[in-house]
Structures are given as C-alpha cells and as structure tokens.
Amino acid sequence: MIAFRDLEPRRLISQDGAQAAFDPKQAAHRLILNDGMTQKCATLDSAGLSVNSRWLVYPQSNVVSAKVRVFMDVLIEHTGRSPAWAER
C-alpha cells in the first residue's frame, strides 16, 4: 500500500452499498509520501496500490481539443459521472 502523509480516515462504500472505514494510519505501508505526483508515479511503477483523488484538470480556455473530449467521454463512460458515495 502507498499512503499519502497525513491522510485522514475515510468512509468507503462499495457499489452494492456495503460500508466500511479505512484508516491509513493503521494500515501496513510500503511507502508514505507527501507529494501526489510521486504517489501516482510510484503506483504506475508497480510499487503498490494507492488511494487517489478523482478529478480532472481542464485547460484554461473553455475549448478542449477533440481527442481530449473523447478521452474525457471514455473516462466518464467507464467511471460514471459521480462516485458511488456521492449518489447516496
């Protein structure tokens, strides 16, 4: 598990509605980091699993290229418009 330093306990809700609590400070970690990009890179380099934010960054202009729009549409199709915990 890869953890972000000072991560507060989280309430987790599965797609079937089951709930649980996860306190990162109680879990066994391989790495504890204080930088989100480093955490992402470590996860992508197979250093372990991590809990990451779910958000997109848009360019400054309101216009996005066609390939960015297609990419965003694919992400939305696979992940949904809002996380399961926000729909409850």
Side-chain angles (χ1 to χ4, degrees):
M1 180 78 175
I2 301 170
F4 193 78
R5 180 179 290 233
D6 299 326
L7 187 64
E8 294 299 315
R10 303 276 183 189
R11 186 179 75 146
L12 305 175
I13 303 173
S14 70
Q15 290 188 9
D16 66 359
Q19 296 187 26
F22 174 69
D23 185 352
K25 294 173 186 161
Q26 301 299 319
H29 302 303
R30 268 187 165 179
L31 295 171
I32 298 175
L33 306 167
N34 64 355
D35 176 68
M37 184 56 74
T38 303
Q39 180 179 349
K40 176 183 173 184
C41 290
T43 304
L44 292 173
D45 286 340
S46 303
L49 300 174
S50 65
V51 177
N52 298 287
S53 298
R54 184 178 173 186
W55 48 274
L56 295 172
V57 177
Y58 286 85
Q60 278 188 315
S61 72
N62 292 334
V63 180
V64 295
S65 69
K67 61 183 171 184
V68 170
R69 181 75 248 169
V70 168
F71 176 69
M72 290 169 51
D73 290 342
V74 169
L75 285 177
I76 290 169
E77 179 183 326
H78 286 7
T79 62
R81 288 209 166 267
S82 61
W85 61 86
E87 296 172 4
R88 301 200 188 288

